[in-house]
């Protein structure tokens, strides 16, 4: 019980709080504020900025909503920024429900609603562009909410967050909302330096405890022993605040996995589908739906197939959903790191006749969905996979991934958050900001494709994904379920689930558009100083402090090592130097031999031509492969031919993938009509390869290991002679001294490396900016030593594409003059298209001769720009890939969606997203172009692209 003095102090605080905006805000909330929310809101009302780092579902967006309340109450504006358009739309709808249509606006790349309202929701890029354009909309701005601010670590888009934070006027209060990061204090310290007073509020407690499970076969086990052996009441009171060594993997789980492994043959098929012996740690049924209220769900669960061919102990997706249903753990999100896998899951549940909602509810969903897609033709709906999508929804489940039509994704989000469907199969993109919590989250695998390779998910990604489990105000517990497979280590899963280190790292780097905008507003010298205030430089400078301390400590240790290797017979440092030189030269000779081997590999790739058959071994594949495209190496790049393997996969070969030269051992003509993007064409040609070419490797060609260059050998022999003649060579303690010398040399190398890092990091962002400005000076975008922006630079200020300078160069050199609108739409796709490595086509057929000529001109400009970037050690502008030209030309020419996508492996959702990116870029070109013909063609092209399914779709 509080003392009289404490009660008096509490009464005084309550009295002081009366009449504050926080008290008024508190009264309209349907729930009480948590302590961390109250602290953050109090800081905002006191005039400070805030950084709130809290787990998913903890309620940090309430702080952003209070900033909006403060703005309206004090006659100022508030901008609520989000990283993605879908989240902007969701937040817009939330704020409209609270404050009304008149007070809330929306600005995204393709939506503009009431943009001059006192509260505007927008993507972060829109706010960045407003600041660079000195938009009058900024007048009266008092608060900016930066939702999901940890996105500044994103290597593609993260720089935008830092640009906004640095350039916002000093009087604007910033409310930064972040997922849990382990260096929140560091990030908050930077915010304090660039924004002024900023209170850092870290909340690690999840309002809904999260319990971790693994499913082995069809059985569910707790992951940690504490969850199995601790009474439920005690667990709920304690919550899941497990860290590092506090956790122990459930022994019952380990026993079940061992039993399952014993029943699995070498090919990974179960010999006995029965349940493992031993006591089972079943998942708790917190928040379970009472049996009498569940109706058809229980019946569906009982009717689901309980046996069948399974791969390495993995249950079918229908069995997983059935088990979750029986345990009362629906609704659930199952994360499948594959779009095809998500769609396949829906098909599998339909085939298994799964129904998770009553038929009457299904019919209501059907009518709602039909109203939402009424603007689309039946022909387009068929191409979009609508009928299976609708069937799944009426049964209570759906897929959710970036390849879907955005409107379809929005429908799934609405149905799931309102509790009308019970299961969603999603890629990891669902975890990025959308408010779509569930009672349970299922992870089928812990490996995903990161854009370059398949890699294990990180602890931060695991936390982000499983953070969806547990709906505040609905569930008393959330549940994360990992499906076991023979390649999954439960100890590693335990490590992922218990790790609490998620550092936030800046991805900031100056771009060409950023540079000209900064110089235009501040001049080069002032802009350089501004960039030195970035979080990237802040982190680099802090790291320098630690590295400098390490250098001093290592130099002290080196002095001790030098004393220990002192020899009475002579200068052991000199003697050790001779030995070290011999070792280095021997390694150099080895590298020379390796270089000879690499040269042979590169030469073999350069000499391959379409029709060559080679024996290809890389990763898990070894077998025949047919060269279908011989891409010669561009300047500074190696050749990367495309191979078709006998399992019909298209592989882009890189010299780094090979251990030896690729030598043709047979020939198979490639049909002139062969389209590597067409799966059927690949399968047909692969079948021919299997029939006509022997399935055996060619006889290994004799190879020569080579010898070290004679000059190096001569130097090594001379040094060995000097070593033997040195007086220290006869020392009886020579090898003991040598061990101290080796430690000295090793530490000396480490110290030199640290010093190079210190030299490279100090002022590193400003040095990159200098190199960017020097290139812009050479290309006439800046003048007067880089202090002034030329007319060309003024045009560049309005181009915000990834290939901003290349786009400007195309306008400058009239590359697109004379193109028809459909041709212009097609050509500019090469400025936004980034194919996956295994999809790249070295030179696809282009739709018209004018498109081909324009693209060739673009490639010449790109090559010159890339050379200049290479000379200055700047990131290289990506090659303008023409892979989407044909598809976009067909669409802009009025062809149907079915005709456009028929020969393409592009998903409908991806196509719509690309179309909107093209529209955005065409709008920029229409503003920036001086040629009236190009301006007119760009505006017309926007109308040609923005039709049908693209125009009907509302969310990107």
């Amino acid at each position: 019980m509080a003392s009289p003095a404490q009660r008096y102090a509490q009464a005084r605080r309550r009295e002081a709080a009366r009449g504050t905006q926080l008290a008024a805000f508190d009264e309209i909330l349907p729930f009480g504020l948590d302590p961390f929310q109250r602290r953050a809101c109090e800081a905002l009302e006191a005039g400070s900025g805030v950084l709130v780092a809290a787990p998913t579902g903890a309620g940090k967006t309430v702080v952003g909503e209070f900033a909006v309340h403060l703005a309206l109450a004090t006659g100022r504006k508030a901008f609520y920024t989000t990283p993605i358009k879908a989240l902007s739309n969701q937040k817009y709808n939330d704020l409209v429900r609270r404050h009304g249509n008149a007070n809330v606006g929306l600005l995204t790349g393709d939506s503009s609603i009431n943009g001059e309202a006192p509260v505007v929701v927008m993507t972060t890029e829109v706010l960045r562009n407003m600041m660079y354009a000195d938009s009058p909309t900024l007048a009266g701005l008092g608060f900016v909410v930066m939702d999901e601010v940890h996105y500044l670590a994103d290597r593609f888009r993260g720089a935008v967050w830092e640009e906004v934070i640095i350039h916002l006027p000093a009087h604007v209060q910033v409310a930064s909302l972040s997922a849990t990061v382990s260096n929140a204090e560091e990030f908050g310290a930077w915010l304090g330096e660039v924004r002024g007073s900023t209170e850092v509020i870290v909340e690690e407690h999840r309002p809904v405890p999260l319990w971790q499970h693994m499913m082995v076969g069809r059985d569910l086990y707790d992951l940690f022993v504490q969850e199995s052996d601790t009474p439920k009441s005690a667990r709920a009171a304690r919550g899941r605040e497990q860290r590092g060594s506090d956790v122990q993997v459930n022994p019952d789980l380990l026993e079940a996995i061992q039993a399952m492994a014993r029943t699995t043959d070498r090919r990974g098929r179960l010999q006995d589908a029965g349940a493992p012996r031993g006591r089972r740690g079943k998942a708790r049924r917190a928040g379970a739906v009472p049996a009498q209220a569940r109706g058809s769900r229980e019946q569906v669960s009982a009717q689901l197939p309980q046996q069948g061919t399974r791969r390495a102990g993995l249950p079918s997706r229908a069995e997983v959903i059935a088990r979750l249903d029986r345990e009362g753990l629906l609704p659930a999100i199952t994360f499948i790191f594959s779009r095809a896998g998500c769609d396949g899951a829906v098909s599998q549940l339909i085939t298994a006749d799964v129904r998770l909602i009553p038929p009457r509810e299904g019919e209501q969903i059907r009518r709602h969905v039909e109203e939402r897609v009424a603007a689309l033709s039946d022909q387009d709906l068929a191409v979009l996979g609508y009928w299976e999508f609708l069937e799944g929804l009426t049964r209570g489940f759906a897929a959710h991934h970036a390849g879907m039509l955005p409107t379809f994704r929005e429908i799934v989000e609405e149905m799931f958050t309102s509790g009308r469907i019970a299961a969603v199969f999603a890629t990891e993109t669902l975890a990025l900001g959308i408010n779509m919590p569930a009672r349970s989250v299922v992870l089928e695998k812990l490996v995903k494709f990161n854009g370059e390779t398949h890699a294990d998910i990180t602890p931060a990604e695991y936390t982000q994904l499983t953070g969806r489990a547990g709906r505040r105000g609905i569930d008393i517990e959330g549940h994360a379920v990992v499906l076991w497979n023979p390649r999954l280590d439960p100890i590693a899963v335990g490590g992922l689930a218990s790790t609490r280190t998620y550092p936030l790292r800046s991805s900031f780097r100056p771009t060409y558009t950023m540079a000209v905008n900064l110089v235009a507003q501040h001049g080069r010298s002032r802009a350089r100083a501004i960039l030195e205030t970035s979080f990237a430089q802040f982190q680099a400078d802090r790291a320098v402090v630690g590295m400098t301390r390490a250098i001093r400590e290592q130099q002290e240790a080196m002095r001790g090592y030098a004393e220990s290797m002192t020899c009475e017979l002579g200068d052991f440092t000199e003697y050790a130097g001779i030995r070290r030189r011999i070792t280095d030269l021997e390694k150099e000779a080895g590298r020379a031999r390796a270089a000879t081997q690499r040269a042979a590999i590169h030469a073999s790739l350069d000499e391959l031509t379409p029709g060559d058959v080679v024996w290809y071994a890389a990763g898990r594949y070894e077998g025949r492969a047919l060269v279908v495209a011989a891409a010669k190496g561009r300047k500074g790049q190696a050749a990367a031919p495309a191979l078709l393997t006998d399992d019909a996969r298209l592989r882009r070969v890189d010299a780094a993938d090979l251990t030896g030269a690729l030598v043709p051992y047979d020939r198979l003509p490639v049909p002139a009509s062969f389209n590597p993007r067409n799966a059927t064409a690949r399968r047909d040609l692969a079948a021919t390869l299997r029939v006509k070419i022997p399935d055996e490797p060619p006889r290994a060609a004799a190879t020569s290991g080579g010898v070290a260059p004679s000059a190096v050998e001569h130097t090594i022999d001379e040094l060995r002679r000097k070593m033997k003649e040195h007086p220290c060579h006869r020392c009886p303690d020579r090898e003991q001294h040598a061990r101290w010398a080796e430690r000295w040399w090793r530490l000396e190398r480490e110290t030199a490396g640290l010093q190079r890092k210190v030299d490279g990091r100090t002022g590193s962002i400003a040095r990159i900016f200098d190199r960017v400005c020097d290139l812009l000076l050479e290309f006439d975008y800046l003048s007067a030593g880089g202090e002034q922006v030329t007319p060309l630079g003024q045009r560049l200020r309005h181009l915000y594409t990834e290939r901003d300078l290349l786009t400007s160069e195309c306008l400058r050199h009239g590359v697109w003059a004379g193109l028809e609108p459909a041709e212009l739409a097609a050509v500019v796709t090469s400025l936004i298209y980034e194919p996956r490595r295994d999809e790249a086509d070295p030179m696809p057929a282009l739709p018209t001769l004018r498109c081909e000529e324009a693209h060739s001109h673009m490639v010449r400009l790109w090559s010159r720009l890339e050379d200049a970037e290479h000379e200055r050690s700047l990131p290289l502008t990506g090659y303008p890939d023409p892979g989407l030209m044909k598809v976009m030309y067909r669409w802009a020419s009025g062809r149907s969606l079915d005709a456009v996508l028929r020969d393409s492996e592009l998903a409908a959702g991806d196509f719509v997203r690309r179309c909107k990116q093209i529209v955005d870029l065409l709008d920029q070109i229409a503003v920036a172009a001086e040629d009236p013909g190009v301006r007119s063609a760009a505006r017309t092209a926007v109308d040609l692209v923005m039709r049908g399914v693209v125009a009907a779709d509302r969310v990107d």
Side-chain angles (χ1 to χ4, degrees):
M1 179 180 292
S3 67
Q6 289 172 328
R7 290 199 300 273
Y8 175 74
Q10 290 170 358
R12 290 292 302 271
R13 283 196 295 271
R14 284 195 298 271
E15 184 67 28
R18 290 196 184 113
T20 64
Q21 288 302 328
L22 180 55
F25 181 69
D26 207 351
E27 288 179 1
I28 64 175
L29 291 177
F31 50 82
L33 290 171
D34 288 344
F36 86 93
Q37 295 169 327
R38 187 170 297 278
R39 280 180 54 208
C41 293
E42 287 172 348
L44 281 174
E45 189 162 11
S48 176
V50 294
L51 167 63
V52 182
T56 300
K60 53 184 175 287
T61 56
V62 169
V63 180
E65 291 167 2
F66 178 64
V68 170
H69 172 89
L70 268 179
L72 291 172
T74 57
R76 289 177 286 175
K77 286 184 178 180
F79 289 170
Y80 197 112
T81 71
T82 73
I84 53 179
K85 294 176 185 176
L87 184 55
S88 292
N89 280 271
Q90 189 177 75
K91 203 65 208 176
Y92 168 74
N93 292 325
D94 291 343
L95 292 174
V96 164
R97 281 192 290 270
R98 174 166 293 176
H99 302 291
N101 285 292
N103 287 321
V104 184
L106 174 68
L107 292 175
T108 64
D110 53 10
S111 297
S112 179
I113 303 172
N114 199 15
E116 296 302 320
V119 177
V120 184
V121 182
M122 62 185 68
T123 52
T124 317
E125 283 86 351
V126 170
L127 178 53
R128 186 270 314 272
N129 298 351
M130 272 187 187
M131 292 191 302
Y132 282 157
D134 290 325
S135 170
T137 303
L138 295 167
L141 180 63
F143 297 88
V144 168
V145 180
M146 305 204 74
D147 205 352
E148 308 286 344
V149 73
H150 53 274
Y151 261 68
L152 67 78
D154 184 87
R155 64 190 179 116
F156 298 110
R157 299 172 54 213
V160 178
W161 274 258
E162 291 191 48
E163 288 181 78
V164 169
I165 290 169
I166 291 170
H167 298 307
L168 274 173
H171 67 270
V172 176
Q173 290 175 246
V174 177
S176 302
L177 312 179
S178 171
T180 304
V181 292
S182 56
N183 60 336
E185 288 77 10
E186 179 190 38
F187 183 49
W190 173 70
L191 286 171
E193 285 200 5
V194 296
R195 301 294 322 158
S197 175
T198 301
E199 185 159 348
V200 179
I201 297 164
V202 177
E203 175 63 30
E204 295 185 352
H205 173 71
R206 278 181 54 98
V208 181
L210 177 64
W211 307 109
Q212 305 281 343
H213 312 285
M214 285 192 73
M215 182 176 279
V216 183
R218 291 190 295 270
D219 290 303
L220 208 54
Y221 294 84
D222 291 333
L223 177 59
F224 296 118
V225 69
Q226 290 95 329
E227 296 179 9
S228 292
D229 298 343
T230 306
K232 180 177 175 180
S233 58
R235 291 189 297 116
R238 184 184 69 230
R240 187 192 168 283
E241 302 299 326
Q242 300 167 343
R243 298 174 181 273
S245 60
D246 295 338
V247 298
Q248 179 184 349
V249 173
N250 183 1
D252 290 337
L253 168 63
L254 299 177
E255 180 183 340
I257 290 173
Q258 291 171 357
M260 185 65 74
R262 286 195 294 270
T263 63
T264 305
D265 65 19
R266 287 183 304 164
R267 294 187 178 182
R269 293 199 177 276
L270 288 177
Q271 296 174 335
D272 178 7
R277 293 186 179 90
R279 184 169 64 87
R280 298 175 184 172
K282 299 299 180 74
R284 306 305 191 263
R285 298 187 47 162
V289 179
Q292 64 270 24
R294 297 169 67 209
S296 62
R297 287 196 187 183
E298 203 70 88
Q299 297 168 8
V300 168
S301 299
Q303 294 169 0
L304 285 176
Q306 297 299 305
Q307 292 188 6
T309 301
R310 289 182 287 138
R311 195 64 188 160
L314 281 176
S316 71
R317 284 159 177 154
E319 289 171 326
V320 172
I321 295 299
R323 182 54 192 265
L324 295 178
D325 195 14
R326 289 198 300 273
E327 294 288 342
L329 298 181
L330 295 180
I333 299 171
T334 300
F335 283 108
I336 304 172
F337 302 125
S338 158
R339 297 175 179 182
C342 294
D343 293 333
V346 171
S347 300
Q348 290 159 23
L349 265 63
I350 292 174
T351 301
D353 198 26
V354 173
R355 184 176 292 277
L356 302 176
I357 58 176
R360 179 179 297 177
E361 175 65 16
E363 281 305 309
Q364 292 176 354
I365 289 175
R366 183 186 300 275
R367 288 194 294 271
H368 174 76
V369 175
E370 287 173 348
E371 290 176 5
R372 290 291 303 275
V373 301
L376 299 174
S377 68
D378 286 349
Q379 184 182 19
D380 285 351
L381 290 173
V383 177
L384 295 168
Y386 167 74
W387 307 112
E388 185 171 74
F389 168 75
L390 180 61
E391 181 64 21
L393 281 173
T394 61
R395 292 168 172 264
F397 49 84
H400 185 287
H401 57 76
M404 296 168 60
L405 188 70
T407 293
F408 287 9
R409 292 203 307 271
E410 184 187 33
I411 291 171
V412 173
E413 291 158 14
E414 291 174 357
M415 295 293 104
F416 194 75
T417 53
S418 63
R420 300 181 68 182
I421 61 175
V424 167
F425 301 92
T427 57
E428 72 275 15
T429 54
L430 185 146
L432 303 178
I434 301 296
N435 181 24
M436 196 168 156
R439 178 168 295 161
S440 303
V441 162
V442 180
L443 298 181
E444 286 198 345
K445 295 180 180 179
L446 298 180
V447 175
K448 70 168 189 172
F449 186 75
N450 62 12
E452 297 176 357
T453 185
H454 287 86
D456 294 337
I457 66 173
T458 65
E461 290 169 331
Y462 183 90
T463 299
Q464 183 83 8
L465 295 167
T466 58
R468 293 285 161 194
R471 297 164 297 174
R472 190 173 189 180
I474 302 175
D475 302 317
I476 62 171
E477 294 180 345
H479 299 266
V481 180
V482 177
L483 303 187
W484 175 82
N485 67 70
R487 290 184 290 275
L488 193 64
D489 179 5
I491 306 299
V493 178
L496 274 177
S498 59
T499 298
R500 291 291 177 273
T501 301
Y502 320 121
L504 184 62
R505 300 294 178 207
S506 172
S507 61
F508 183 84
R509 67 172 179 84
T511 65
Y512 299 115
T513 296
M514 183 195 307
V516 291
N517 275 291
L518 286 173
V519 172
Q521 290 184 323
H522 306 287
R524 180 170 176 174
S525 300
R526 172 66 181 145
R528 193 179 193 277
I530 289 173
L531 290 178
E532 288 182 325
T533 68
S534 67
F535 186 45
Q537 192 61 58
F538 183 83
Q539 288 189 309
D541 291 342
R542 284 203 162 190
V544 164
V545 174
M547 286 189 290
T548 303
R549 183 173 60 251
I551 288 171
R552 287 198 302 268
E553 292 171 354
Q554 290 181 358
Q555 287 172 339
E556 183 64 31
M558 288 168 63
R559 284 191 286 270
Y561 293 164
E563 291 177 7
S564 298
M565 68 177 177
T566 302
C567 178
E568 296 179 354
L569 298 181
D571 185 350
F572 202 89
T573 301
E574 180 183 65
Y575 175 75
I578 296 172
R579 289 177 58 144
R580 169 57 51 187
R581 180 64 177 149
I582 291 171
T583 301
D584 290 344
L585 285 174
E586 288 174 340
K587 289 180 179 178
E588 183 181 320
R591 286 193 294 268
R593 287 190 291 271
T596 302
Q597 175 75 350
R598 287 196 301 273
I601 292 173
H602 283 288
S604 72
L605 294 181
D606 278 328
E607 293 170 1
L608 291 177
T609 60
D612 285 341
V613 178
V614 297
W615 191 262
Y616 176 63
R620 297 181 180 177
Y621 180 82
E622 181 174 3
R624 296 160 292 193
L626 174 65
V627 179
V628 295
K632 299 301 181 184
R634 304 186 186 99
K635 186 171 183 179
Q637 296 179 336
L643 304 184
L644 180 70
T645 59
D646 62 9
D647 58 359
R649 293 179 181 273
L650 192 66
R651 296 173 180 255
R652 179 71 60 191
V653 180
D654 189 286
D657 300 332
L658 303 175
T659 58
L662 281 185
V663 181
Y665 72 98
D666 212 326
R667 290 282 301 173
L668 180 66
V670 178
S673 60
F674 175 69
N675 180 3
R677 294 175 179 274
N678 187 294
T680 301
R682 292 200 305 268
R683 287 194 293 269
D684 291 345
L685 186 55
T688 305
L689 176 67
R690 291 193 297 272
V691 169
K692 294 190 175 182
I693 305 299
D695 183 17
E696 59 183 22
R699 181 176 300 173
T703 59
S704 170
V707 295
S710 57
V712 175
E713 287 287 358
H714 176 76
T715 303
I716 291 173
D717 290 342
E718 181 64 24
L719 287 171
R720 283 181 178 147
R721 183 185 61 78
K722 288 183 178 181
M723 178 185 70
K724 292 175 182 178
E725 293 175 352
H726 198 283
C728 290
H729 192 68
R730 298 187 297 276
C731 177
D733 298 323
R734 180 186 69 197
E735 294 309 310
Q736 182 179 350
H737 295 328
R739 282 193 291 273
W740 286 110
E742 181 58 33
R743 294 175 187 175
W744 188 94
W745 280 107
R746 188 182 305 120
L747 203 56
E748 193 276 338
R749 283 198 304 271
E750 292 178 7
T751 304
L754 281 174
Q755 189 61 56
R756 284 193 297 272
K757 287 183 178 180
V758 168
D759 295 340
R761 291 195 177 197
T762 304
S764 56
I765 301 298
R767 284 203 304 276
I768 295 173
F769 175 71
D770 284 339
R771 294 199 293 269
V772 168
C773 288
D774 289 344
L775 188 147
L776 291 171
L777 192 61
E778 178 188 334
F779 278 59
D780 299 323
Y781 287 83
L782 296 177
S783 62
E787 290 290 342
Q788 296 178 4
V789 177
T790 66
L792 283 173
Q794 293 294 342
R795 177 167 62 198
L796 179 57
R797 293 184 66 186
H798 302 289
L799 298 172
Y800 295 101
T801 179
E802 186 74 18
R803 298 175 176 88
D804 47 7
L805 188 53
L806 179 57
T807 305
S808 182
E809 285 291 281
C810 290
L811 289 172
R812 173 186 187 178
H813 292 277
V815 173
W816 303 323
L819 291 179
E820 295 295 326
E823 292 173 324
L824 179 60
V827 168
V828 299
T829 62
S830 61
L831 295 169
I832 59 99
Y833 182 53
E834 294 284 353
R836 288 173 55 130
R837 182 176 171 181
D838 57 352
E839 295 174 342
D841 188 346
M843 194 59 238
L846 302 188
T848 69
L849 179 60
R850 281 194 296 250
C851 286
E852 186 174 335
E853 291 172 346
H855 182 257
S856 296
H857 196 173
M858 291 173 70
V859 171
R860 290 194 296 273
L861 294 176
W862 163 78
S863 181
R864 180 196 170 207
L865 173 57
E866 189 189 47
D867 288 345
E869 290 169 331
H870 191 270
E871 289 174 7
R872 291 170 175 80
S873 299
L874 288 170
L876 303 181
T877 296
Y879 170 71
D881 194 289
L884 199 62
M885 275 197 197
K886 195 171 183 180
V887 170
M888 191 58 60
Y889 180 77
R890 289 174 176 174
W891 179 253
S893 297
R895 303 281 294 277
S896 69
L897 184 65
D898 178 48
V900 167
L901 298 180
R902 186 176 299 147
D903 298 329
S904 169
E905 295 183 6
L906 194 67
D910 287 333
F911 172 71
V912 171
R913 188 171 66 255
R914 295 297 189 191
C915 283
K916 293 189 176 181
Q917 289 174 331
I918 290 300
V919 166
D920 188 34
L921 181 53
L922 287 168
D923 279 334
Q924 295 176 37
I925 290 170
V927 171
E930 294 182 350
D931 185 330
V934 173
R935 287 202 303 270
S936 174
R939 294 191 183 101
T940 303
V942 168
D943 296 333
L944 295 177
V945 175
M946 192 60 93
R947 67 177 180 88
V949 66
V950 180
D953 189 77
R954 298 194 299 121
V955 181
D956 191 357

